[in-house]
Structure formats: C-alpha cells, structure tokens
Amino acid sequence: MSIYEKYMRIDKFPHIWCPGCGYGIAMKSVMRAIDRVGIKNDDITMVSGIGCSSRTPGYLDFNTLHTTHGRALPFATGVKMAKPEMNIIVVTGDGDATAIGGNHFIHAARRNIDMTVLVYNNYIYGMTGGQYSPTTPQGKFATTAPYGNIEPPFDVCNLAAAAGASFVARGTVYHAVPLDKLIEQALRKKGFSVVEVLNPCPTSFGRRNKQPTPVIMMNWMKENCIPKVKYDKMSDEEKVGKIPIGVFVDIEKPEYTEQYQLLIDRAQSLAK
Amino acid sequence: MAKKKVFLQGNEACAEGALAAGVKFFAGYPITPSSEIAEVLSRRLPMVGGKFIQMEDEIASMGAVIGASLAGAKSITATSGPGFSLKQENLGFACITEVPVVVVNVMRGGPSTGLPTCTSQSDVMQARWGTHGDHPIIALVPWSVEESFHLTVRAFNLSEKYRTPVILLLDEVVGHMREAIEIPDPSELEIVNRKKPTCKPEEYLPYDLNNEVNPLPAFGEGYRFHVTGLNHDATGFPTNDSKLVQKDEERLMNKLLNHLDDILTWEEYMTDDMEILVYAYGSTARSAIAAVKQAREEGIKAGLFRPITLWPFPDDKTREMVSKVKKVIVPEVNLGMIIGEVKRVSPKEDINIVGVNRADGETIVPQQILDKIKELS
Ligand SMILES: Cc1ncc(C[n+]2csc(CCOP(=O)(O)OP(=O)(O)O)c2C)c(N)n1
Ligand code: SF4
C-alpha cells in the first residue's frame, strides 16, 4: 500500500480543486511528513476553516473537522484541551487565518498550544472567486481591487513569530521536497507551529496578475523563493521581490496543555 | 449521603449543576451578568481534572466547546446578550453537526451593549432564531436558584440525549439573586451520556437518516468520521443532493419535535378554575405568582402557567391553557416577544391577550401584574 492510500479517503475523489492548483501537492507533502513522523491516523485530528485549502480534511482519513470561516483554531483548541494526546493539524487559507481568523491566530500562537498550522497562502480568496486578502501584495489585482490593491500585506511568518509561535517556517509547493521536511519539523515540535505554504492559484490570482498558467506560477516560485540562508546574505537590492523560505523560528517555550496539566496538579493538591 | 444545604447565587448554582452533570470543559469570554459562572468553573474544573479556558472572544469560545465535545468532554459556555449574538455562528454549526453543548445566556438589557447590569428577557427570540437557517433548538428557563441547578443538569442530559445544543436562559435577576438551595447527592441525579456506536468503525454513520439521533464517538476512539457545517450525507460528507438535504433537515427538526413529551416541561398554579390566565416565565413568573395569589385573596380567579421549556414552544399545552379563559396576560421584561407565540397558538375566538411589558432594566413587580388582572376582571 502506498503511503497515500494509507492516509487518503480514496472514495472521496475527485477533489474540488482546479487544474493547476497547488493544494494537491501540499496535501501529498503533509502525508509524507506524517508518515515520516509515524503518527497513526486515529491519533490525528485535522481541523480547517472555510476556503479551497480548508477542504483538505475531507480527503484524508483522520478525525476531520471542517468548521466555520476563520474559526479552525478555536475548534482545534477545544479538541486539544479535551484530548492533549491528540496530534492536531490545522489547515487554513491566508484569508481564513489572517483576516476573519486573525484574532484567533495571534492568540493561539501566544498561548503556544501544541498544534501544527498550515497556512496555505495564495495571496487571494480562492473559493469566493478572487477578492483581495490581507496577504495580497500591493498593486496586485483582485475582483475587489480592480485598480490594484492599496493595502500593505501581512507577512504570515512575521505575524506568527511576533505573536509567540514556537516554530515558524515558509515553504512552497514548487519546493515540495523541502516542504516535506518543514512540515515534518513542525509536526515534531511541541508547541504552536506554523508553516506558511505558498501555493499557486491560477484561477483566482494568476489570471488577473499576468500569471495565467500554473506553469508560469510555479516558475515564479522557483525563481523568486530563495532559501533563507542564501537570502540573508543577499544585498538589499537583490532582495527586492524575493521571498525567503525555510525555518524562521525554532525555540523552546512552555506549551499550553502541559502548563494546564501542572495547574490541575496544583489545584488538586490544594483541594486535598 | 444527605443532601447539602447551601446559600448560592443563580449563576453559582448553574456552575454547580454543570459540575454535577459531569462537565469537563468550559470556554468563555467574561461578560456581565454571567461572569460568575466562568469564575466558579475556573476554580472548580481543574479540581475534577476538567479544563477551563478564557478565549479571545465568544466566537472562539463557542468553537472551542464544540471541539472539546467532539473530543468527548461534556462542555459548556456562558455569556450574556452581546456575547450570545457572537456565538450564533458556531451555535448554528453545533445544530447542523449535532454536537452536544450547553450555552448559558444570562439575559441583560439591549439591543447592543444595552444595560449590562440590569435584567431583561429580550433574548428569548434570539435563542430560537438567532442563527441562520432551519434548525431545532432547546431552551430552558429557570425561575429560581434551585431550578438553575436542576435545569443545568437537565440541559446537559437533553443535549447528550438528542445530540443538540441546549440553551439555558437565565435572566439577570435569577443569575444574581441568592437563595438557600439543596444540592442533591450525585447518586440521586439522573445523568445522561451520549450513545456511543457499537458497530465496526467502517460501518459507522454519524448522520444516518434512518435514526433520529445517531451515536457519537469521540475523536480518537477509532471511528474516523468527518464533521462539516455544510449540509452533508449520512457519512458526514458534503452533499448538494436536494432530496437528501431536505430529508436530513427534516430529521433534524423531527428528532426534537417527535419527543415533545420528553422535552417540554411547565408548571401550573391555580389554573383549574381560573378565569384569567397569567402566562409568565423566568423571574417574571415570581412576580406573577405573587400577583395571582393576591388576586385570589381579592376574589379574582386568576391562574399562572409557567413554561420551563421555552423552545420547542409548548404549542398544545399553551393552546389548552388559553382555551380555558377569555383573558390572558403575558408579562415579559421585553416589549412583547413570547406573547406573539401565545397569540399564534391561541384559538381565534374572542380571547383577549395582553402584555405587561417593560424594557428599562427593572423587573416587573407583582403590583403591575395585579393592576392588569384587576383591569381585565
Ligand atoms: C462568515 C463567512 N464570511 C464569508 C464567507 C465566504 N468565504 C468563503 S471562503 C472565503 C475566503 C477564502 O480564502 P482563503 O482563506 O484565502 O482560502 P482559499 O480559498 O484561497 O484557499 C470567504 C470570504 C464565509 N464562508 N463565512
Ligand atoms: S480557486 Fe484557486 S485556490 Fe481554489 S482550487 Fe482553484 S486554483 Fe486552487
């Protein structure tokens, strides 16, 4: 049995994603990472919000919870607190995680609750047909930014790091092999781990921004996403338009559910 | 073991009721006049190995209790008006996914931030219709501290039995007043727990149309199923099949409507020979009973009907009560909400149904109801 058969709900295919969408590549990367860590299907709860990316849990044979737009992290927090032994993977889009779910995102990171959060960033609202998101670069076009976006974007990794995540990384679906490794590291990390996954959305983003085919979008990632080690050595002029990928944060700090167990122990010994 | 006599606030009794029912998880966001429920549970839950978390808002709190319930923990959240509005999105999620949770709303004045420290009964319609879409809901309304304890236990029992969110509507007066109550020994309480599947995991259907209420395993117990807020088929996966969706929506409604005998509760006082019916719930019913007794002393045959289950609405029983009289008074701390339901079910003969209302943050006092009784008699 291939590892994909082990983790997929084969009978739920075909999937809903457009041809050329990167979510299938990302999903396979997640499966390979899980397999390397060796987590049993039943010990994983995969939680998502609403969006194209958030449909991922439906295709995977875990305990799966497809919630409301932006709210995956609160639901995941409830599951994790009730069952701390459960491995939690959250799948969320850039709009889901940083717009409607922005508050939940920073607070889950601040608490440092143990879960792996995959923020699939395609710079756009895919599912609703291409409106601009908090990560849409300035000047890019969207159905609701017909004159070009004037809002400065969030950097998902900076946001996660500033809010207190204990592991933060960025990968792309073009760089699938390194992506496996990043997700694996995130899964192994005890604490709030974020992997931003850059993903081509030819349908809703590319078409409006002079990247009309999946191949053009993939090539754009290949040329502009630079390993962090190399990026850090580049001059300011060289950095323009380039995006670093790799691990940004990997630190040890107290994890929420472990702290809560200590609190329970304290409360129970006081009660005696 | 003997019963324990204690002096408690309604909110504290609610928290005690939750603990007696076996609650293991609370998520909430502080808001007057409900915060004591969170405060008591933040102290008491860890003692029983349960978990408390103060989330970043009410939307998150509602999501967290649903997640915890799916992971097998009996879960509760508590709030008041504005917070209850925020919970509606995920309350709808709990309805369509059939996840048992208890939501307490200690009602205060409104709309919006309204009257934070004052009483109200103006969320009774929000409890029924606050979230979008078709769905059933159970809402219970206690009138005393003691009943706050017992109805919280019952709220958990009903939510577990019918796989549905249950709303407990306290009003500020009930939430904050203190009374001496008897807390029964745990062995004396009936505690219901959700049915778990006994079939093989590959045969398990979380939303089988052939069952009114399907068993619900916890995540991690070997039954890997999909939960989505989208309309779904028997397996829990999204579907647009209109026939199937219609059937499932009807099942959702009927799982409660077919069991009204079990769900509906009420109390009647001096209704046998009554000529004027007072129809009141929550703390307003306390004023109503005083008014009814006073009226009787003055020779007026008044009676009180007090619904305890407000949703589903006790249509038949209300019709029966209303049919006995020509005059009905519905006092409410709002500008007229449940009176509409009473009118809806009443036979359209010459029955005079009038309200006694206030929305100024004060309780309706017995004299106001008595005045109305006298006016009609
Ligand atoms: C409360 C609410 N508001 C709005 C929507 C509509 N909606 C669905 S998906 C989505 C955005 C999806 O974008 P993103 O999170 O970036 O995910 P993608 O589809 O690009 O993977 C929106 C706005 C909704 N479902 N719920
Ligand atoms: S709209 Fe974009 S993100 Fe959504 S499936 Fe299509 S390509 Fe993927």
Side-chain angles (χ1 to χ4, degrees), chain A residues 23 50-54 68-69 71 92-97 100 120 122 124-128 131 133 201, chain B residues 89:
Chain A
Y23 288 151
I50 298 290
C52 298
S53 44
S54 287
T68 40
H69 189 34
R71 319 295 178 205
T92 169
D94 47 274
D96 201 56
I100 194 164
Y120 289 162
N122 53 14
I124 203 85
Y125 288 6
M127 179 151 272
T128 41
Q131 298 80 14
S133 101
C201 170
Chain B
E89 177 192 47

Side-chain angles (χ1 to χ4, degrees), chain B residues 256-300:
Chain B
L256 298 191
L257 296 182
N258 290 344
H259 298 278
L260 293 179
D261 286 352
D262 181 37
I263 296 167
L264 298 183
T265 50
W266 56 71
E267 272 180 4
E268 295 173 50
Y269 308 87
M270 293 171 273
T271 53
D272 286 344
D273 63 340
M274 67 175 171
E275 286 166 4
I276 294 182
L277 166 67
V278 181
Y279 194 105
Y281 53 92
S283 70
T284 305
R286 297 169 78 100
S287 296
I289 188 84
V292 165
K293 282 180 186 162
Q294 186 64 36
R296 287 271 171 180
E297 273 172 27
E298 297 181 27
I300 307 169

Side-chain angles (χ1 to χ4, degrees), chain A residues 9 12 42 55 58 61-68 71 74-75 78-79 81 83 104 107 111 256 260 263-264 268, chain B residues 46-47 49 51-53 56 59-60 64 67-68 71 89-90 93 219-220 222 224-230 237:
Chain A
R9 287 167 168 150
K12 297 303 167 194
D42 208 42
R55 288 302 187 94
D61 186 19
F62 309 130
N63 306 285
T64 50
L65 178 53
H66 177 228
T67 69
T68 40
R71 319 295 178 205
F75 282 78
V79 174
M81 283 188 78
K83 272 220 161 86
H104 308 312
H107 287 283
R111 289 185 191 107
Y256 188 81
Y260 205 94
L263 182 156
I264 289 177
Q268 290 183 338
Chain B
M47 293 178 181
K51 314 275 171 70
F52 168 94
I53 187 168
E56 52 274 15
I59 306 174
E89 177 192 47
N90 285 337
F93 184 91
F219 281 169
R224 292 190 293 280
F225 61 107
H226 187 55
V227 180
T228 176
L230 292 163
F237 286 87

Side-chain angles (χ1 to χ4, degrees), chain A residues 17 20 29 46 61 83 103 139 145 173 194 208 223 232 260 268:
Chain A
W17 296 315
S29 200
M46 184 174 261
D61 186 19
K83 272 220 161 86
N103 200 32
V173 297
V194 176
R208 294 189 180 85
E223 280 149 27
D232 287 344
Y260 205 94
Q268 290 183 338

Side-chain angles (χ1 to χ4, degrees), chain A residues 104-126:
Chain A
H104 308 312
F105 186 69
I106 59 177
H107 287 283
R110 173 180 64 81
R111 289 185 191 107
N112 195 34
I113 186 159
D114 179 33
M115 51 183 69
T116 296
V117 184
L118 307 172
V119 182
Y120 289 162
N121 188 1
N122 53 14
Y123 301 122
I124 203 85
Y125 288 6

Side-chain angles (χ1 to χ4, degrees), chain A residues 161-191:
Chain A
S166 54
F167 181 88
V168 180
R170 180 186 291 124
T172 92
V173 297
Y174 174 82
H175 304 84
V177 176
L179 183 61
D180 295 5
K181 189 87 207 317
L182 295 177
I183 298 173
E184 181 190 344
Q185 279 177 275
L187 288 172
R188 290 188 192 278
K189 186 79 189 181
K190 181 124 215 130

